[in-house]
Amino acid sequence: MYNQIKLNYEFDALQPHIDALTMETHYTKHHTGYTKNLNEAALKAQVDHLPIEELLKTLETIEDETLRKSIRNNGGGYYNHNLYFALMSPDGKRVPDGKLALAIDEHFEDFQQFKEQLTKLALGQFGSGWAWLSADETGKLYLSSSPNQDNPLMDNNGITPILGIDVWEHAYYLKYKNLRADYVKEFFNVIDWDVVADNYQRVIK
Ligand code: MN
């Protein structure tokens, strides 16, 4: 059974950056839907015993094409949104510190450059998808974007996302309409860098 994470803030807690109706719809409709559909498909494909990370790394071993596609889309949706909703907070740390801050400076020169590069990927993703900050076990950082509900785990090359920006229109359209750039800019005001640092710590060896 794959469980949707519990939010430790209210739907309206991220205002004015992310509006309450978007948060409620995103969490109770979209994320709940991905979770339900993943559980159904994983049960049918008899892969529901796998931790979600393992499942996403081994999609190609699922023989039934319909189930494989469903698990890719809904398993990606499930994993991505668990990551996304956990790393937002009304009162989190708004800039990285510690080991992750050092790594960001090392890889991207400074936090500002990092933000610009990640923003560029988020805005450049045509249609629905995600922009990612990921890490490997040596602590190396990577930026990327992917379509649909795909994520870097699906490449199974040792890279794990530690921060994801959802750029599906359902993440911002009610408030920002077609202005994805405004949403992405505001998104940096709700990132809790303590959570991202915890994610980083879990990936590195
Ligand atoms: Mn979404």
Side-chain angles (χ1 to χ4, degrees), residues 10-82:
E10 302 296 322
F11 293 130
D12 64 2
L14 304 180
Q15 299 190 122
H17 313 294
I18 315 274
D19 65 283
L21 185 56
T22 293
M23 288 299 294
E24 183 176 357
T25 310
H26 204 173
Y27 181 81
T28 65
K29 307 288 184 195
H30 296 277
H31 192 197
T32 300
Y34 295 126
T35 305
K36 179 173 173 286
N37 293 337
L38 166 64
N39 277 300
E40 286 173 7
L43 190 65
K44 278 188 196 156
Q46 300 183 309
V47 292
D48 57 314
H49 58 287
L50 292 174
I52 186 64
E53 291 84 356
E54 281 313 302
L55 180 56
L56 297 180
K57 286 175 187 173
T58 56
L59 288 170
E60 73 283 359
T61 63
I62 300 166
E63 284 175 16
D64 183 282
E65 193 187 346
T66 306
L67 289 176
R68 186 170 65 245
K69 276 187 185 160
S70 179
I71 292 170
R72 183 181 193 107
N73 291 331
N74 292 293
Y78 166 78
Y79 175 91
N80 297 347
H81 288 87
N82 266 5

Side-chain angles (χ1 to χ4, degrees), residues 135-140 142 158-160 200 202-205:
D136 66 20
E137 65 175 34
T138 70
K140 194 160 185 246
Y142 304 84
I159 296 172
T160 301
Y200 184 58
R202 267 197 300 276
V203 173
I204 60 181
K205 287 266 157 60

Side-chain angles (χ1 to χ4, degrees), residues 26 30-31 34 81 84-85 130 149 166-168 170-171:
H26 204 173
H30 296 277
H31 192 197
Y34 295 126
H81 288 87
Y84 177 80
F85 284 118
W130 290 77
Q149 294 295 352
D166 188 348
V167 296
W168 283 59
H170 68 224

